[in-house]
């Protein structure tokens, strides 16, 4: 794994300081004046935590607008590496606790993924983890099962590469399945429970895949 460089850590820490400053300032200026009753201290702490995440979403999206993630191999000492590693730090230190928890209800998780840049069609929900929302594109009426994992990065020794994952409409990803970087899944396909879909796999519309590594176990029905 490639080490995150001090300059990249410094950029993240500056963004984190901005997030904390905005959150504390908003809590103090807006909420501190409200009559919050006997649990004032606890309420203010919870409101401050909420503001931290709301401003984190905002600052993260502004950062990605300025330094977007691009598909392809990430060269060392490049702007692309800066964007990729700051993105990793956001997830390790801020967002991982949100996307890997079972505490938040699935509809709220959908809103979080949308806030983080995932493209999700109507009536699409994930009870699993989308580890790279800006590079995850999912159509409508698709369900990601409990504890499934979808990621769009490749780490092979010191090599780092980003590849978007594209999933079509009315797709079912079974519980505890793993979908790796660069995978494309067509409409109405099914990935069975516990399957591991290796990087760059193409799953056709209507096909059923399962196993480790995943293989096609049923082809799409012929067109009428």
């Amino acid at each position: 794994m490639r080490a995150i460089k001090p300059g990249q850590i410094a950029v993240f820490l500056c963004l984190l300081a901005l997030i904390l400053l905005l959150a504390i300032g908003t809590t103090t200026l807006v909420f501190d004046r409200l009559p919050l009753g006997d649990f004032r201290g606890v309420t203010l702490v919870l409101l401050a935590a909420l503001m931290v995440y709301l401003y984190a979403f905002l600052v993260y999206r502004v950062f990605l607008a300025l330094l977007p993630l691009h598909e392809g191999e990430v060269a060392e000492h490049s702007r692309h590496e800066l964007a990729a590693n700051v993105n990793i730090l956001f997830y390790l230190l801020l967002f991982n606790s949100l996307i890997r928890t079972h505490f938040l209800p699935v509809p709220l998780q959908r809103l979080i993924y949308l806030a983080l840049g995932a493209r999700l069609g109507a009536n699409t929900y994930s009870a699993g983890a989308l580890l790279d929302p800006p590079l995850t594109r999912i159509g409508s009426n698709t369900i990601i099962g409990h504890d499934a994992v979808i990621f769009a990065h490749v780490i092979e020794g010191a090599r780092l590469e980003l590849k978007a994952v594209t999933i079509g409409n009315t797709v079912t990803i079974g519980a505890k399945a793993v979908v790796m970087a660069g995978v494309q899944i067509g409409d109405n396909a099914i990935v069975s429970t516990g399957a591991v879909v290796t990087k760059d796999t193409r799953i056709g519309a209507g096909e059923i895949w399962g196993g480790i590594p995943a293989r096609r176990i049923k082809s799409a029905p012929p067109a009428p």
Side-chain angles (χ1 to χ4, degrees):
M1 178 178 176
R2 188 184 303 174
I4 299 176
K5 298 173 177 58
Q8 297 160 359
I9 296 173
V11 170
F12 171 76
L13 291 177
C14 288
L15 295 175
L16 180 59
L18 175 61
I19 291 166
L20 294 175
L21 181 63
L22 291 170
I24 294 171
T26 300
T27 303
T28 302
L29 294 174
V30 177
F31 300 114
D32 192 42
R33 302 177 182 180
L34 298 177
L36 300 175
D38 295 337
F39 297 98
R40 177 183 184 83
V42 174
T43 303
L44 286 175
V45 169
L46 293 176
L47 288 171
L50 175 62
M51 297 310 300
V52 165
Y53 277 104
L54 292 178
Y55 279 118
F57 293 147
L58 176 61
V59 170
Y60 174 72
R61 293 299 298 273
V62 170
F63 173 79
L64 287 185
L66 297 174
L67 286 175
L69 298 175
H70 296 292
E71 293 187 67
E73 189 164 351
V74 179
E76 284 203 71
H77 308 291
S78 64
R79 286 169 59 88
H80 192 191
E81 184 186 59
L82 171 63
N85 283 344
V86 171
N87 174 72
I88 289 172
L89 289 171
F90 265 104
Y91 278 88
L92 290 177
L93 299 178
L94 287 173
F95 301 142
N96 190 60
S97 59
L98 292 178
I99 65 177
R100 299 304 293 268
T101 182
H102 299 303
F103 176 74
L104 297 177
V106 171
L108 182 56
Q109 286 277 31
R110 171 184 165 86
L111 296 179
I112 290 172
Y113 287 130
L114 290 172
L116 294 175
R119 302 180 191 175
L120 304 179
N123 197 41
T124 286
Y125 297 94
S126 174
L130 311 182
L131 299 186
D132 299 288
L135 295 172
T136 303
R137 303 152 190 169
I138 306 177
S140 302
N141 303 308
T142 289
I143 184 69
I144 311 300
H146 184 77
D147 280 344
V149 178
I150 297 174
F151 57 88
H153 60 270
V154 178
I155 299 175
E156 297 170 334
R159 180 174 174 271
L160 173 62
E161 185 177 9
L162 303 179
K163 294 185 176 185
V165 174
T166 304
I167 299 173
N169 302 310
T170 321
V171 173
T172 300
I173 307 296
K176 299 184 182 299
V178 176
V179 177
M180 297 185 182
V183 169
Q184 295 183 14
I185 302 177
D187 296 345
N188 302 299
I190 296 174
V191 175
S192 298
T193 298
V196 176
V197 185
T198 54
K199 66 178 183 178
D200 298 324
T201 297
R202 304 292 185 266
I203 296 179
E207 295 179 350
I208 300 176
W209 285 55
I212 304 176
R215 296 285 186 268
R216 186 175 61 196
I217 57 180
K218 186 176 181 180
S219 302

